Amino acid sequence: MPNESCTGCSGVLGSAAGWPTIWWCCPDEYWIDVAFEARRLAVEVDGWAWHCDVDRFAHDRRRQNALVLAGWTVLRFTWHDLMSRPKEVVAEIRAALRRAGDGR
């Protein structure tokens, strides 16, 4: 199940990018931090607090592989990215959304 910090992250990133976001559960019960379902774009936010052990780190790698195999594009950002360079993060998300819309 998603955690509360990512819930806020989903709404903020979606609004900033000009797109609705949802919580989405991909195959094998993996939750996506921020999902732009119509464009099959997943945004994952990685922070030290969550990735504090081998099991959590490995879980995220399995989740990304499952998403890619299901036809999703995955962008990964650190929590530090969101706090220190939010405009660049949103620009990258918008670029990926445009690219997904073009079918490229």
Side-chain angles (χ1 to χ4, degrees):
M1 197 64 157
N3 66 46
E4 289 179 19
S5 65
C6 284
T7 303
C9 187
S10 176
V12 169
L13 288 176
S15 294
W19 283 79
T21 58
I22 60 162
W23 283 105
W24 194 81
C25 186
C26 68
D28 301 320
E29 301 294 319
Y30 294 121
W31 287 92
I32 299 171
D33 290 343
V34 182
F36 297 88
E37 188 176 27
R39 298 292 171 97
R40 297 183 73 80
L41 174 65
V43 177
E44 292 294 314
V45 179
D46 299 327
W48 292 117
W50 176 255
H51 297 94
C52 60
D53 64 43
V54 173
D55 291 336
R56 287 180 175 182
F57 185 82
H59 178 269
D60 275 6
R61 301 303 121 346
R62 289 189 297 271
R63 176 177 57 199
Q64 181 165 338
N65 290 345
L67 284 166
V68 170
L69 291 172
W72 286 69
T73 297
V74 180
L75 294 180
R76 297 195 84 88
F77 299 98
T78 65
W79 187 254
H80 183 74
D81 289 332
L82 295 181
M83 298 296 104
S84 65
R85 51 183 213 94
K87 290 180 183 177
E88 291 87 348
V89 169
V90 170
E92 289 178 43
I93 293 169
R94 286 181 177 159
L97 288 166
R98 282 191 303 274
R99 181 176 177 207
D102 292 342
R104 292 186 256 150

